[in-house]
Amino acid sequence: MICGTLILAGSLMALQKPANKAAPATATERVTLRDGSVVLGLVTAVSTGPRGAVELLVRRDWAESHLKTWAGKWSRAIEAGSKLAARQRRERLGAWRGERAASAPADDRIVAWIDQELKRLDDPAFTARTALMPVHLSRSDVRGLFRQPPLNTRLLQLGWLCGLPEVETMPLEDLKDALEGRGFAVDGNQTPSLAGLLPLFPEPALSWLGRRAATELAVDSDLRVIRYQNMVLPDLKTGQALDRLNVSSALAEVAKLFDPEQGKEDPLVSTLKKVGDRGRVGALVTQLDIPADMSQATIEATMWVRVGGDRWVPFVTRSVSVRPDELPAEAGRNLVADPQVQSAFSLVEALGLGTIPPEFKQRSLKMGATTEKALGVARAAISQDLNTLMLPIFENPSGDRGGDRQPGKP
């Protein structure tokens, strides 16, 4: 009897469904709709209020496999604006090529990319189907929302760019392994551009000029300048000695600081005019602000955009302030032998301002390290902005669709 009871109990236990295990963690974000459907993708914006909405990016193949009805609706909404956007893009690319080609080298990357884009815009298949779909969901459509930390959403975007199958449901650890196998740093902080996977949409003129400016800055090294007080000098980030910046020009600029007439005309105006005369619409100005008491270093990096004629407007700005007391006591000692620092001290003495006392040199070196740190943080931040804005000129022509939307802004 006891054996029979044990056998019966064992049989019943075998028939029972095992306890549900927790679903493996993934990198995707989830939006639960009112009808119970779940959308997997990347949420790019959430707005509240009576007209609130959720904006997200969804992989087209996934949507057509799992949410066929919704996918059809989203696809029709995209097609409505794609033809107009393609016509707008042709006109803008043609104008850009005309302005740039006159002063660009024969092998200019941007001109070559423009030519490729113009050919592809003549292909109807170019705008018919893209890997990602920007989706707009009204407040009444959404019942729930699950977000991921930025590190995970970055992995999702890398998975999309690599074309990994079913990346939306891939366990997080498997996704990391797959990306590492393709040479990506899974713990990085650079957000990839998804522009080549997105459809074209009409956009305001200023937004287009911002993209064009960011793209020019990625190719043209002479569009970056450093501004300190009333001096504007080329921004060379290669660690070259100061004399490589043309010391005679630097002496002339410093001498102007002692000229009572200086300051009547902003030197940045003439600098930007020269950029505009070459058909460029972008310039990156990194301004250094160090007060007389050397209490802190403030770096403001701004991308300026030419919106017509000689009229320039700031488009995106990053500002960072660092105080010397935030750095270790030994900070700046490694700068003693730096050729730029030696050139700077020689420059001051060449102006007849006398020999610099050792204690002032040490304080200046500490301030140099402070400025170096602030400069690094500001440059990293503005570089991320520019990478997000720029057009996909470095992508494989056969693997991207030349979309023009920012990640997070469908």
Side-chain angles (χ1 to χ4, degrees):
M1 183 69 179
I2 294 176
C3 290
T5 303
L6 291 174
I7 293 172
L8 177 61
S11 300
L12 291 172
M13 291 178 65
L15 291 173
Q16 287 181 339
K17 293 182 179 180
N20 291 331
K21 295 182 179 180
T26 67
T28 192
E29 297 185 312
R30 299 191 298 272
V31 179
T32 303
L33 305 180
R34 289 292 180 185
D35 63 6
S37 303
V38 177
V39 186
L40 302 184
L42 173 67
V43 176
T44 57
V46 177
S47 56
T48 58
R51 304 180 69 178
V54 175
E55 310 281 346
L56 69 157
L57 301 180
V58 181
R59 188 165 57 88
R60 183 184 294 271
D61 288 346
W62 181 91
E64 291 176 348
S65 297
H66 298 82
L67 299 171
K68 189 171 183 179
T69 301
W70 283 98
K73 176 183 176 181
W74 297 334
S75 182
R76 289 189 294 273
I78 292 171
E79 291 172 2
S82 293
K83 292 182 180 179
L84 172 61
R87 186 163 56 251
Q88 182 188 71
R89 177 59 66 88
R90 285 191 199 94
E91 295 173 356
R92 288 172 171 173
L93 288 175
W96 187 6
R97 193 189 193 290
E99 290 187 55
R100 182 176 182 85
S103 60
D107 60 347
D108 183 62
R109 179 180 288 271
I110 291 179
V111 171
W113 179 82
I114 290 174
D115 290 341
Q116 293 170 351
E117 287 297 292
L118 289 172
K119 289 180 181 178
R120 290 195 293 161
L121 284 169
D122 291 331
D123 181 1
F126 175 73
T127 57
R129 186 177 180 85
T130 54
L132 297 181
M133 305 171 68
V135 172
H136 174 93
L137 296 172
S138 64
R139 181 184 180 187
S140 60
D141 291 331
V142 178
R143 189 173 71 188
L145 181 63
F146 174 78
R147 305 297 302 272
Q148 291 275 7
L151 287 176
N152 287 357
T153 57
R154 175 180 173 273
L155 297 177
L156 174 66
Q157 294 175 70
L158 287 174
W160 279 341
L161 288 168
C162 291
L164 296 177
E166 297 300 324
V167 65
E168 293 81 5
T169 53
M170 184 180 292
L172 192 58
E173 294 306 315
D174 291 351
L175 176 57
K176 290 181 179 179
D177 290 342
L179 292 174
E180 285 184 329
R182 287 163 173 76
F184 289 97
V186 298
D187 56 352
N189 56 13
Q190 291 292 316
T191 302
S193 171
L194 300 178
L197 305 179
L198 291 164
L200 297 175
F201 274 86
E203 65 177 336
L206 182 58
S207 297
W208 164 252
L209 290 173
R211 295 187 184 283
R212 176 177 160 179
T215 307
E216 291 175 349
L217 283 162
V219 174
D220 300 334
S221 60
D222 57 351
L223 300 181
R224 300 167 184 259
V225 297
I226 290 279
R227 182 174 188 176
Y228 177 63
Q229 294 186 7
N230 206 39
M231 293 187 295
V232 175
L233 297 171
D235 182 5
L236 299 181
K237 301 183 295 179
T238 56
Q240 296 171 328
L242 188 63
D243 57 0
R244 296 291 293 276
L245 298 180
N246 191 339
V247 172
S248 61
S249 297
L251 284 168
E253 293 297 328
V254 173
K256 290 179 182 178
L257 298 178
F258 302 95
D259 182 356
E261 296 298 314
Q262 72 88 21
K264 289 187 176 181
E265 181 179 346
D266 188 341
L268 185 60
V269 174
S270 58
T271 298
L272 294 179
K273 187 178 187 310
K274 291 177 182 177
V275 172
D277 289 344
R278 293 168 44 220
R280 308 299 189 259
V281 299
L284 183 63
V285 180
T286 302
Q287 181 163 324
L288 283 64
D289 184 12
I290 303 175
D293 60 0
M294 296 188 181
S295 57
Q296 70 175 12
T298 299
I299 303 295
E300 184 177 88
T302 302
M303 183 180 79
W304 288 78
V305 172
R306 181 168 61 88
V307 294
D310 291 329
R311 182 168 172 257
W312 292 75
V313 298
F315 190 86
V316 59
T317 298
R318 291 286 187 166
S319 182
V320 176
S321 295
V322 178
R323 299 193 310 274
D325 56 16
E326 296 175 6
L327 274 62
E330 65 276 10
R333 294 177 185 174
N334 62 318
L335 298 177
V336 174
D338 189 289
Q340 294 191 64
V341 173
Q342 293 178 352
S343 297
F345 287 145
S346 299
L347 179 62
V348 173
E349 293 175 357
L351 288 171
L353 301 178
T355 303
I356 304 174
E359 62 274 12
F360 187 80
K361 280 189 177 182
Q362 185 56 44
R363 189 179 178 190
S364 299
L365 290 172
K366 182 70 174 288
M367 198 64 207
T370 304
T371 304
E372 188 175 58
K373 180 178 179 180
L375 191 60
V377 176
R379 278 179 170 157
I382 198 72
S383 292
Q384 180 65 57
D385 293 330
L386 299 185
N387 288 340
T388 300
L389 285 168
M390 68 174 290
L391 293 154
I393 62 170
F394 296 106
E395 295 182 11
N396 183 354
S398 62
D400 73 77
R401 292 180 175 271
D404 67 340
R405 308 308 300 168
Q406 299 179 43
K409 293 187 179 181

